[in-house]
Amino acid sequence: MKKLFLYLIFLLTAISFSKLQAQQHIQTIGWNVVAKIPPAPMQSQSIGLAGAITGIHQHLLFIAGGTNFPDKMPWEGGKKKYYNDIFIYRKMARGLALRPYQAKLPFNLAYAAVCSIPAGIVIAGGENETGLSPKAFIMQWENGKITFNSLPDLPEGLTNAALTLVGDILYLAGGETTGGATDQFLTLDLKNTAAGWKRLINLPQPVSHTVLLTAGTKIFVIGGRKGNSGDTSTIYKNVWMFDVKDPVWKAKTSLPVPLSAACGVGAQQELLVFSGDEGKTFHQVERLIGEINREKDEERKAKLNQSKAVIQAAHPGFSRKVLKYDIARNVWTVIPGTMPYGTVTTKAVWFENEIIIAGGEIKAGVRTPKILSGKIKTTK
């Protein structure tokens, strides 16, 4: 009797699993370039932006701020330039159309933590030529014009952090202060902003350049990196989950490979992560920088600098993979096909039924002006 009972349980489990498999869809994404970011003032052609603010409000796409190297690459002595331009796009039957509207951010800004919410686009921290910013504000489109509403300052200047929303609460994870990557996890209640940012339980590890995604009340911190003084940076493959109903960090299945500066979106009960830096070239350059800093002989130092420039100029580009995380099964898979190009230090957003990834860095120091659209395709 016991054997029969166990057999029936096994049979029912097998049938249920078969049904689950039959119901599952293999997702692919069809990619197209749907627009380009215009040239900056005084530039004849666009060379793109990295670290730009990307968000959605009132059925419009906003791209603002960002950086590039307009004259020379950084290893040739080029200086990073920061911007405050705002570009607004509306969706067309095919592609995106740039609205003829000129506006500026209150100041030059890049690498801010950004989150689109019903009230507008929240922008927190970031950096510019004067240093790290503690400022936070909401950019809104109201009555045909852009307005800015201040939020409480962050506890200190912070760049390369990540931001998301659950209910009426903003959650900000990690980032870099003047002391390096931080493990802070902050909240701001949008119904009581006067209370300011509050610190929750620390992240399991200091991290910047992470992907922060939500599914219901669950918040996921995916990959990222931490600079290490005198050594190469740690690039994480760890994935951590925080449920606002059960406020502790729980380790989930790690990424297939370490990734930093990727971007992603939530898609029902799945999370999608696009591109990212696996760190091979990044670590090579860091090792050479360490050797250069320790070298006393000027001739040897010049040769090391030349080697570093060769490696940076020959950068192979970033990962073109799309990774999918099944929340219920706690499993990562690689979606068939690849992106047209890998791009980092940018943000992915849902624009109605399309995934939009605007600009970003495609090789060391090199930006792209292209705006990618991804449409999810499903097959049984």
Side-chain angles (χ1 to χ4, degrees), residues 208-225:
S208 66
H209 301 84
T210 192
V211 178
L212 190 68
L213 299 176
T214 58
T217 60
K218 297 180 175 66
I219 299 172
F220 295 83
V221 175
I222 303 167
R225 77 175 189 235

Side-chain angles (χ1 to χ4, degrees), residues 346-369:
T346 183
K347 188 171 178 63
V349 294
W350 279 109
F351 192 15
E352 297 178 13
N353 62 338
E354 297 179 51
I355 299 161
I356 295 292
I357 303 176
E361 184 173 352
I362 56 173
K363 293 183 180 182
V366 181
R367 279 63 167 141
T368 179

